[in-house]
Amino acid sequence: QVQLVESGGGLVQAGGSLRLSCAASGVSSSRYGMGWFRQAPGQEREFVAAISRSGTSTFYSDSVKERFAISRDNALNTVYLQMNSLKPEDTAVYYCAADRFLGRPTMENEYDYWGQGTQVTVSS
């Protein structure tokens, strides 16, 4: 059983940066592709970024490409999401998720395990 715990969320001004972390326990995270999703109030959860088990392949939504960067440290069982040039529309609860195969990294229902989420609020 994989357990995921996100941290690093908070309140930041537009144009600022935050780095989210997702710590995995219960099994080596290197066995899973990892993804970040977000859900804004009143909206459906949407894909943000994903990374393969080895870290050699990454995927981004068009809305965050060039501003966000996903990375992982398998020795620490941790995945990161560096968020730069934040905008008010990035405000959401951010979730990390684990997918054994990462066959379709943008598809929410492909992921096997989810964290509880961390709130990111970007003020204008």
Side-chain angles (χ1 to χ4, degrees):
Q1 183 81 6
V2 177
Q3 295 181 329
L4 305 174
V5 178
E6 302 94 337
S7 62
L11 174 64
V12 64
Q13 288 187 330
S17 298
L18 281 176
R19 188 176 82 156
L20 305 183
S21 300
C22 173
S25 62
V27 68
S28 172
S29 65
S30 63
R31 296 174 60 184
Y32 289 83
M34 300 294 294
W36 286 96
F37 288 75
R38 67 186 181 186
Q39 186 169 22
Q43 298 186 21
E44 294 185 354
R45 192 153 55 184
E46 65 173 359
F47 169 76
V48 176
I51 188 166
S52 62
R53 286 177 286 185
S54 64
T56 54
S57 297
T58 57
F59 309 86
Y60 297 94
S61 69
D62 289 342
S63 62
V64 307
K65 199 176 297 183
E66 308 300 335
R67 299 188 299 122
F68 290 11
I70 189 171
S71 61
R72 68 189 302 161
D73 186 333
N74 286 339
L76 296 178
N77 267 1
T78 301
V79 176
Y80 305 97
L81 185 68
Q82 177 67 43
M83 306 186 296
N84 300 324
S85 301
L86 282 161
K87 305 174 181 180
E89 51 263 45
D90 294 318
T91 295
V93 177
Y94 283 71
Y95 299 89
C96 73
D99 175 2
R100 185 71 185 271
F101 302 107
L102 208 64
R104 295 187 294 176
T106 66
M107 301 299 292
E108 177 180 349
N109 60 4
E110 295 283 302
Y111 288 79
D112 304 301
Y113 302 101
W114 291 82
Q116 293 299 307
T118 185
Q119 176 71 48
V120 171
T121 303
V122 184
S123 64
S124 57

